[in-house]
C-alpha cells in the first residue's frame, strides 16, 4: 500500500506542479484539473503520510521523535478548537486571509504546532484531561466532576514536615 500510494502521490505532485507552473495549458479545465489533483487524489497522500508515520514509529529513533505528539493526541479536541479559533482570529480578525505567501503560512502552521505541543505537555502535567475532553466526557457520561490535578504534579504529603 505504501509503495502504491507513494507512486500515485509522486505522480499527483508532479502533475500539480506542472499545472501550477504553466507547463500544461488546458484553458477552462486548468482550474478543474488542479482541484481534482488536490481533492480527488489527496487520499493517496493521506495513505502515504499514515504509512510513513507507522514505519517511523516502528524505529526507536522514530518513537523518540514522535513522543511530543502523544500529548497533542490526548488533547486532540482541545487543540482542534484552539487551532480553529486562533486561525479565525489571525486570518479573519487581523486581516491576513489570502495575504500571506506559502512560506509565511507554513511558518504560521509550524508555530501553531509548536505552541500546541508545549501547551499540551504543560496542561497534561497538571491535569489528566484537556479542558474540552473534560467537557466532552462530562457531557457524555452525565456527571459534572471537578478536574483534579495529576498525582505526579501534586505535592506529596509524605515529604511535608
Amino acid at each position: 500500500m505504501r509503495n502504491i500510494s507513494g507512486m500515485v502521490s509522486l505522480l499527483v505532485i508532479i502533475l500539480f506542479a506542472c499545472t501550477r507552473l504553466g507547463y500544461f495549458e488546458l484553458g477552462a479545465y486548468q482550474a478543474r484539473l488542479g482541484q481534482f489533483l488536490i481533492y480527488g487524489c489527496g487520499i493517496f497522500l493521506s495513505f502515504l503520510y499514515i504509512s510513513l508515520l507507522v514505519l517511523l514509529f516502528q524505529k526507536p529513533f522514530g518513537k523518540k521523535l514522535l513522543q511530543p505528539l502523544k500529548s497533542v493526541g490526548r488533547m486532540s479536541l482541545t487543540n482542534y478548537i484552539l487551532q480553529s479559533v486562533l486561525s479565525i482570529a489571525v486570518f479573519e480578525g487581523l486581516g491576513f486571509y489570502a495575504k500571506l505567501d506559502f512560506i509565511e503560512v507554513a511558518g504560521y502552521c509550524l508555530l501553531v504546532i509548536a505552541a500546541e505541543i508545549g501547551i499540551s505537555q504543560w496542561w497534561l502535567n497538571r491535569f489528566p484531561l484537556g479542558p474540552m475532553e473534560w467537557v466532552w466526557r462530562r457531557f457524555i457520561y452525565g456527571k459534572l466532576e471537578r478536574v483534579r490535578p495529576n498525582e505526579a504534579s501534586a505535592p506529596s504529603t509524605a515529604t511535608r514536615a
Side-chain angles (χ1 to χ4, degrees):
M1 180 62 116
R2 180 189 75 232
N3 293 337
I4 293 170
S5 63
M7 288 187 292
V8 172
S9 297
L10 184 61
L11 179 63
V12 167
I13 290 169
I14 290 170
L15 285 173
F16 184 70
C18 288
T19 58
R20 294 294 289 214
L21 293 172
Y23 292 130
F24 300 130
E25 187 54 49
L26 302 173
Y29 297 106
Q30 188 87 10
R32 296 234 186 245
L33 177 62
Q35 286 178 338
F36 171 74
L37 291 173
I38 290 173
Y39 300 116
C41 299
I43 190 77
F44 293 105
L45 278 170
S46 299
F47 284 134
L48 177 65
Y49 296 151
I50 291 168
S51 299
L52 292 175
L53 281 172
V54 167
L55 285 173
L56 186 61
F57 194 72
Q58 291 175 352
K59 307 286 183 194
F61 168 76
K63 280 186 180 182
K64 190 172 186 173
L65 183 70
L66 297 174
Q67 188 65 28
L69 297 179
K70 185 177 179 181
S71 58
V72 175
R74 286 184 53 205
M75 289 181 48
S76 56
L77 180 59
T78 299
N79 284 318
Y80 174 73
I81 291 172
L82 175 66
Q83 179 180 110
S84 299
V85 169
L86 184 63
S87 294
I88 289 170
V90 167
F91 291 106
E92 288 294 328
L94 297 177
F96 286 121
Y97 183 75
K99 293 184 180 173
L100 302 178
D101 64 17
F102 176 77
I103 299 296
E104 292 168 331
V105 171
Y108 168 79
C109 291
L110 291 174
L111 186 66
V112 169
I113 290 168
E116 286 180 342
I117 290 171
I119 290 168
S120 297
Q121 288 176 341
W122 177 84
W123 184 272
L124 290 175
N125 282 334
R126 287 156 180 77
F127 301 100
L129 297 170
M132 296 312 298
E133 288 75 16
W134 176 80
V135 169
W136 181 257
R137 282 192 182 192
R138 299 308 160 223
F139 178 72
I140 293 299
Y141 296 128
K143 297 181 209 170
L144 191 59
E145 295 178 12
R146 206 170 61 84
V147 175
R148 294 182 183 98
N150 283 337
E151 302 297 325
S153 65
S156 173
T157 57
T159 58
R160 289 184 192 168

